[in-house]
């Protein structure tokens, strides 16, 4: 017998009992029934917060910034006419109820009680401060291509400790008005440009040394200084900001503070630089335009005129590039920022604008000017002083 046959026979004998075959093994147990877990119901956001708000409190126009940490609602707001931050802290419940206190914890000055519309994010209710109460309304500022500017303010004044007998000004004062932008598409960029988020800030931003000097105000002579920042223009997610100011130290004439003007890319928060716009230098052609616009100072030669210009001194408008210089033209030294605007159509035609510029949306859709169109149209001197 072959070994294989022996093994098969042995298995057959081991599998019988009483001459009968062993019963087949039972069927395997069915797998346990898995009970389906009920789907988790996602609760709708009771109030979708926006990056910024505008509205009214007792009829006065206001701007606000709000954030949320769980049910806690916090942030700041300021009245348009005052421009000074007030702290906000409170709660937002799942029932869309809004409760906020105004002011610092140890010196609260008002209270908001109302509701939030979950569809629009607008908030309405009643503001109460002491014996006064009335309606408030806050609505989200929708992001878009044009920035909305609110004015922030700061001022400080102290008397000179021991004024000099010849001092004409016997106090140290500094004031400023500056811009806070709303309505940008990127909340982080908006915060970076404004140099402020949800926390209140009531100090100076523009001329810090002068603000500190006014705070200390030692012996001798005083001064009066003010600085202003304004939004000159905004279009296609670009914004031009201008800063200027003056200081009177008691002399014969007040002095001018530093002048600056810059266009900011609102998508990145970066100032627009020459290499973002131009393929090649065009200062010489700009100076030709400047020379045509100076009928009051014909003795100013080309070299002197050029010293007032800087190829990096420009900003963007909806129609073209505005070039300017310090004390331009010479006779209009008080009007910093004056200079020719050269159209995008002309700059495109003559190959000065970058085709791959990160901010080419400024001239997108502009048709190149026909040959013969003047670079520098004659200025309208009937309105030059306005």
């Amino acid at each position: 017998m072959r070994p294989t046959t022996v093994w098969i026979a042995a298995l057959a004998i081991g599998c019988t009992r009483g001459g009968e075959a062993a019963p087949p093994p039972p069927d395997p147990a069915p797998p346990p029934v898995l009970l389906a877990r009920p789907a988790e119901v996602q609760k709708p956001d009771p109030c979708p917060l926006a990056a910024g708000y505008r509205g009214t409190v007792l009829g006065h126009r206001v701007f606000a910034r709000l954030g949320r940490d769980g049910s806690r609602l916090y942030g700041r707001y300021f009245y348009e006419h005052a421009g000074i931050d007030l702290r906000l802290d409170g709660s937002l419940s799942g029932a869309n109820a809004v409760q906020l206190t105004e002011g610092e914890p140890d010196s609260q000055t008002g209270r908001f009680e109302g509701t939030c519309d979950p569809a629009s994010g607008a908030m309405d209710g009643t503001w109460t401060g002491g014996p006064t109460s009335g309606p408030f309304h806050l609505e989200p500022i929708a992001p878009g291509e044009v920035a909305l500017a609110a004015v922030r303010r700061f001022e400080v004044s102290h008397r000179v400790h021991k004024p000099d007998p010849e001092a004409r000004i016997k106090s140290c004062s500094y004031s400023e008005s500056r811009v806070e932008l709303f309505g940008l598409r990127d909340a982080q960029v908006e915060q970076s440009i404004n140099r402020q988020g949800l926390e209140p800030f009531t100090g100076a931003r523009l001329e810090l040394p002068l603000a500190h000097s006014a705070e200390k105000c030692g012996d001798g002579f005083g001064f009066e200084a003010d600085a202003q920042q304004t939004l000159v223009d905004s279009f296609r997610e670009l914004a031009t900001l201008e800063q200027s100011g003056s200081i009177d130290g008691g002399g014969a004439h007040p002095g001018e503070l530093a002048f600056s003007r810059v266009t900011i890319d609102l998508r990145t928060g970066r100032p627009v630089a020459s290499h973002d716009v131009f393929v090649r230098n065009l200062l010489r052609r700009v100076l030709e335009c400047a020379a045509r616009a100076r009928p009051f100072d014909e003795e100013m030669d080309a070299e002197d005129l050029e010293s007032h210009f800087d190829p990096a001194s420009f900003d963007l408008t909806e129609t073209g590039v505005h070039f300017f210089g310090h004390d331009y033209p010479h006779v209009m030294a008080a009007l910093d920022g004056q200079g020719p605007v050269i159209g995008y159509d002309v700059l495109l035609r003559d190959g000065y604008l970058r085709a791959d510029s990160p901010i080419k949306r400024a001239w997108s859709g502009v048709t190149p000017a026909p040959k013969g169109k003047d670079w520098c149209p004659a200025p309208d001197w009937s309105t030059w002083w306005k």
Side-chain angles (χ1 to χ4, degrees):
M1 178 179 295
R2 296 182 178 178
T4 302
T5 306
V6 174
W7 281 105
I8 293 175
L11 287 172
I13 294 172
C15 291
T16 60
R17 179 178 297 172
E20 296 181 359
D27 294 333
V33 178
L34 298 178
L35 299 178
R37 297 177 62 184
E40 293 184 4
V41 179
Q42 189 72 25
K43 293 183 179 180
D45 192 338
C47 183
L49 296 185
Y53 295 81
R54 62 179 169 181
T56 57
V57 175
L58 276 66
H60 301 287
R61 300 208 299 185
V62 298
F63 291 86
R65 304 274 190 189
L66 293 172
R68 187 170 65 209
D69 183 5
S71 61
R72 182 191 172 213
L73 193 64
Y74 63 98
R76 60 185 174 90
Y77 87 109
F78 58 91
Y79 288 83
E80 184 179 61
H81 68 273
I84 300 173
D85 275 341
L86 296 166
R87 184 180 297 277
L88 294 173
D89 205 344
S91 63
L92 174 64
S93 73
N96 302 333
V98 175
Q99 293 185 332
L100 288 166
T101 56
E102 167 193 303
E104 299 301 320
D106 58 349
S107 57
Q108 295 178 358
T109 53
R111 183 176 180 82
F112 294 81
E113 292 190 358
T115 57
C116 173
D117 178 2
S120 66
M123 300 180 187
D124 290 275
T126 301
W127 178 91
T128 303
T132 306
S133 67
F136 79 84
H137 171 74
L138 297 175
E139 61 182 47
I141 297 175
E145 290 195 338
V146 178
L148 173 64
V151 179
R152 304 291 306 284
R153 293 179 173 85
F154 170 83
E155 61 182 31
V156 59
S157 181
H158 292 285
R159 291 198 56 84
V160 176
H161 294 166
K162 295 179 180 179
D164 188 284
E166 297 184 0
R168 179 171 62 84
I169 302 175
K170 295 180 172 59
S171 63
C172 306
S173 64
Y174 169 76
S175 64
E176 72 174 37
S177 59
R178 65 181 185 273
V179 168
E180 180 171 351
L181 296 182
F182 289 80
L184 279 62
R185 298 188 193 276
D186 189 317
Q188 294 299 317
V189 170
E190 185 170 286
Q191 179 176 327
S192 174
I193 293 174
N194 293 326
R195 293 186 288 172
Q196 188 180 2
L198 299 175
E199 283 296 312
F201 179 78
T202 56
R205 289 284 195 204
L206 302 183
E207 297 285 351
L208 294 182
L210 284 175
H212 293 157
S213 295
E215 287 282 359
K216 296 178 180 178
C217 197
D219 302 337
F221 296 84
F223 67 90
E224 297 172 351
D226 65 277
Q228 309 89 34
Q229 182 190 57
T230 58
L231 177 66
V232 176
D233 194 13
S234 180
F235 70 102
R236 296 191 176 184
E237 294 184 83
L238 296 163
T240 297
L241 296 176
E242 181 177 288
Q243 182 174 325
S244 60
S246 64
I247 181 168
D248 186 351
H253 301 285
E256 299 295 319
L257 297 180
F259 174 89
S260 66
R261 197 171 193 176
V262 62
T263 297
I264 299 175
D265 184 347
L266 299 183
R267 296 185 184 181
T268 64
R270 290 179 53 248
V272 176
S274 296
H275 62 262
D276 295 322
V277 181
F278 307 113
V279 176
R280 51 199 172 99
N281 190 298
L282 70 170
L283 178 60
R284 183 55 51 190
R285 300 201 64 170
V286 173
L287 288 173
E288 292 174 4
C289 293
R292 291 182 53 182
R294 54 181 183 91
F296 304 111
D297 198 351
E298 296 299 337
E299 295 181 359
M300 191 174 185
D301 59 27
E303 183 177 347
D304 197 11
L305 182 63
E306 185 171 351
S307 70
H308 288 71
F309 264 87
D310 177 352
S313 296
F314 69 89
D315 60 88
L316 305 181
T317 75
E318 289 193 74
T319 59
V321 181
H322 169 226
F323 296 89
F324 62 89
H326 179 65
D327 295 350
Y328 167 80
H330 182 65
V331 74
M332 294 188 236
L335 300 179
D336 275 321
Q338 298 296 311
V341 175
I342 301 177
Y344 293 125
D345 56 343
V346 173
L347 297 172
L348 275 171
R349 181 198 66 198
D350 293 349
Y352 282 99
L353 297 180
R354 278 184 53 181
D356 60 344
S357 169
I359 49 90
K360 66 181 178 181
R361 60 185 180 278
W363 53 87
S364 176
V366 174
T367 302
K371 291 291 184 182
K373 181 174 180 178
D374 198 346
W375 261 67
C376 349
D380 181 3
W381 293 111
S382 65
T383 60
W384 71 268
W385 61 87
K386 293 183 179 180

